[in-house]
Amino acid sequence: MARARTPRSAPAPRSRWRRRIVVTLQILIGLAVLALGALVIAVYVARSQLPSFDELKSSPNGQMIRVHAADGSIIASLGPSYGEWLPYAQIPGVMRDATVAVEDRRFRSHPGVDPIGIARSVQVRYERGRWIQGGSTITQQLARNVFLNNQKKFGRKFREWILALALERKFSKDQILELYLNKMYYGGGTYGIDAASRKFFGHGADRLSIAEAAVIAGLVKAPSNYSPTADVDAAKGRAGVVLKQMVRAEVITQGQADDADVDDLRLTPEKQQNSARYFTDWALPQLDTLIDETTAPLEVWTTLDPAMQRAADVAVRENAPAGAQGALVSLDRDGSVRAMVGGKDYVASIYNRATQAQRQPGSAFKLFVYLAALEAGHKPEDSIVDEPVTIDGWSPRNDSRRNSGSVTLRTAFAYSLNTVAAKLGQEVGFATIADMARRFGITTPINTHPAMVLGTSDVRLIDMTRAFASVANKGVAVTPYGITRVTANGQEIYRHEVDRSRVLVAPYVAAQMTDLLQTAVNTGTGRAAQIGRPVAGKTGTTTSLKDGWFLGFSSGLTTGVWMGRDDARPIAGLHGGTAPAKAFAAFMKPATASRPIEQFETQVTLPEWQLEPDEETYFGQPDAETGGQMVDADGNPLPQQSPDEQAQEGEEGPRAAPTAQPQQQLDDLIDRVTGRDAPARDDRREPSGRDDSRPVPPVVRQPLQRPLQDDRPTQ
């Protein structure tokens, strides 16, 4: 008979839990081994792909551009700033100790990632509810700075750990610290301790003091907050924290920390932005079309003359009327830009009025009218009748509101007679004048309405200056340029070549135009631009006194000046022959002082006026209705006189000058005839290369009424 089977007893609950724990541990250990294996593989794969130490030394954090003036001096440093690379042995011990003490006290003992630092970071996160400390080591910061970004994501953090471990496997601690101190960003656009030391303290990092090292070491945590250029007090306060950490790390004594008084540190003052930035803002964007290099540090050599730039800055600031802006461009005979001022203050306004602003040039545009007329066969001695004229319903008037009868082209240009310009425009064709302006480099749209002869189309100052420079260059095109050569890592990658092949007008046309321009400066509206040597130029004043221009050349240098308000509101007393012409002279006198005096191919010829004894009676007194407003030495309108006062003055003579001299009477007459473009009276006795004792009245008592010649040669 079979015995009954006894059932097995169930395992004890404790035994089941032990078995589960063992299995779980085995799984975790297996996973840990796999993870460790994957980590080791990842680290060594990353190690194999890391650049060499020399490659890391030479790789930039961004493209740096240093701009040199014509004399080799540095006028601007743009982009990241790098100092000299300091090998580990040349880095001051206090700089190394300060960095390790404040950024990574266990730098010498951890493998690239500090578990203690990570645990402390997690603890602070749990206590504060947000991440306060990252626990990053020096090696991690280097990996992030060179290979990654600052995004606070776990995926980026994991890659950072892998790279840090790989860096520790490939490089020594000394090499890692050397890379760190030479490549980290320290604020103010500086990378590396040497650049930071030079920017903030004015000397290289090889001779940093304890206090200076503490300031620089404290910048890495938050360069924008602790930079001395941003907040001096914050920088010094952070330096105090670094000194305390150095005492805790026992790399300095408390006595040394007390002696390192950061409050006594003398920081190098920040360089002020000056007007040369107008030039660099115009020139440097051209690099995109000149070179292909986008990573290597660049040395850019330019045409800017520092002495001329300073003179231009002073000339604009001291002569621009109150509330007005000013701009100046000066070109050498080959087109090289020697000075450029785009406004009275670059810090207040970076808008470059020399290259960006488009304003009406007024009578300065007559350059193209007379160039077209001369090319069509006219000569400076040709006669033309200054008389009322109407063209397609448009009736221009002279600034003097008078007509002078038969005059030569030279006289008409010298005194900027609008009716003559209109008649010339009608004869040669307004489209022909527009084509001439485009030929000479005007890049803005040009209308072909009859009034265009008086400069109603907007132009840029640099384009107008270019046109005058081409006339000075005997009709050969001049193209403004600012960059002469560019080097990258010591190798020349670009050199400018001047193009002298484009002839715009025949040399005799340019010579005749220069003849007219000389007359305008010697006896016409541009006399305030005289500088004691031959000058040729032209004034320009727009309607309602919104813009004043003077453009001219002497001794191989062509300079254009514009003045006006950015909102195009009128400015009392602003005429091309006053403030702009004075600024031209104030700049050109020092700018040409070291250049030989150059005579033009055509000697200046004075207008042939007929002097009549009763010229003042013939022309009468200026009045408000005709707009013949008198101006003072600054170009400001003088009070109008009543008829009784005028009669009394006619009987008794001027009260301020009862015994006026003949030359003064002539000066007064010229004021009234030439109107608003007349320069200030006290500026008319500059050397002009002629005998000023010979009276030159500006108009004819009895017009000759000679008709235009019909048999003039044409081209």
Side-chain angles (χ1 to χ4, degrees), residues 514-526:
T514 301
D515 180 359
L516 300 180
L517 291 168
Q518 286 184 88
T519 307
V521 174
N522 278 270
T523 65
T525 59

Side-chain angles (χ1 to χ4, degrees), residues 3 24 36 78 109 128 174 186 202 366 386 398 488 516 535 542 547 549 561 575 585 598 612 625 646-647 650 654 686:
R3 293 187 301 175
T24 302
L36 180 61
L78 308 176
S109 59
R128 302 285 184 87
D174 291 352
Y186 286 93
K366 292 176 183 176
D386 171 23
N398 296 325
L516 300 180
V535 176
T542 59
D547 302 89
W549 299 71
V561 178
H575 312 297
E598 297 182 13
E612 295 291 334
E625 294 181 0
Q646 294 174 7
E686 296 286 345

Side-chain angles (χ1 to χ4, degrees), residues 101-334:
V102 75
E103 292 296 329
D104 188 3
R105 289 179 58 188
R106 284 174 291 277
F107 171 69
R108 295 289 178 179
S109 59
H110 63 65
V113 176
D114 184 7
I116 298 177
I118 295 175
R120 184 178 64 252
S121 176
V122 172
Q123 179 184 0
V124 173
R125 167 67 175 84
Y126 177 77
E127 294 174 350
R128 302 285 184 87
R130 58 191 179 93
W131 293 106
I132 302 296
Q133 298 178 353
S136 296
T137 64
I138 283 177
T139 314
Q140 287 177 250
Q141 294 179 47
L142 178 64
R144 180 171 63 245
N145 186 69
V146 175
F147 302 108
L148 302 173
N149 54 46
N150 288 319
Q151 292 181 349
K152 294 185 177 180
K153 296 182 179 180
F154 183 78
R156 192 273 298 165
K157 197 69 175 179
F158 182 75
R159 292 194 298 272
E160 179 184 300
W161 291 342
I162 298 297
L163 288 170
L165 293 170
L167 285 169
E168 293 274 355
R169 305 286 76 76
K170 186 160 188 173
F171 305 121
S172 68
K173 292 285 187 180
D174 291 352
Q175 287 178 316
I176 291 172
L177 192 57
E178 179 182 334
L179 288 169
Y180 182 91
L181 292 173
N182 282 283
K183 293 185 74 67
M184 289 298 291
Y185 180 62
Y186 286 93
T190 61
Y191 286 83
I193 58 172
D194 190 67
S197 178
R198 294 179 188 278
K199 180 176 182 64
F200 302 134
F201 305 117
H203 60 76
D206 55 345
R207 50 192 184 94
L208 285 169
S209 66
I210 294 178
E212 292 171 341
V215 170
I216 293 177
L219 297 176
V220 177
K221 181 178 180 180
S224 60
N225 295 334
Y226 296 126
S227 172
T229 58
D231 191 334
V232 175
D233 294 334
K236 292 180 177 180
R238 175 64 177 166
V241 174
V242 175
L243 291 173
K244 291 179 181 178
Q245 293 297 322
M246 294 177 71
V247 173
R248 287 185 58 191
E250 299 182 351
V251 293
I252 63 172
T253 65
Q254 185 61 52
Q256 289 175 309
D258 294 338
D259 292 338
D261 190 353
V262 294
D263 292 329
D264 290 339
L265 283 178
R266 302 186 64 179
L267 299 172
T268 301
E270 186 77 0
K271 291 183 178 179
Q272 296 182 350
Q273 302 284 4
N274 55 41
S275 63
R277 286 299 303 272
Y278 286 117
F279 171 79
T280 58
D281 289 351
W282 167 76
L284 292 182
Q286 301 170 27
L287 289 173
D288 292 339
T289 61
L290 300 179
I291 61 175
D292 297 326
E293 181 61 59
T294 58
T295 57
L298 300 179
E299 301 285 338
V300 180
W301 306 84
T302 71
T303 60
L304 195 73
D305 185 299
M308 290 189 191
Q309 182 66 23
R310 289 191 293 270
D313 202 20
V314 172
V316 170
R317 283 190 285 105
E318 292 188 351
N319 288 281
Q325 277 289 352
L328 182 150
V329 176
S330 187
L331 306 179
D332 218 326
R333 63 179 83 246
D334 63 346

Side-chain angles (χ1 to χ4, degrees), residues 471 473-476 503-514 601-602 715:
V471 173
N473 200 33
K474 302 178 182 179
V476 178
V503 178
L504 304 179
V505 292
Y508 77 87
V509 173
Q512 290 175 339
M513 191 70 241
T514 301
E601 290 186 358
T602 56
Q715 283 185 305

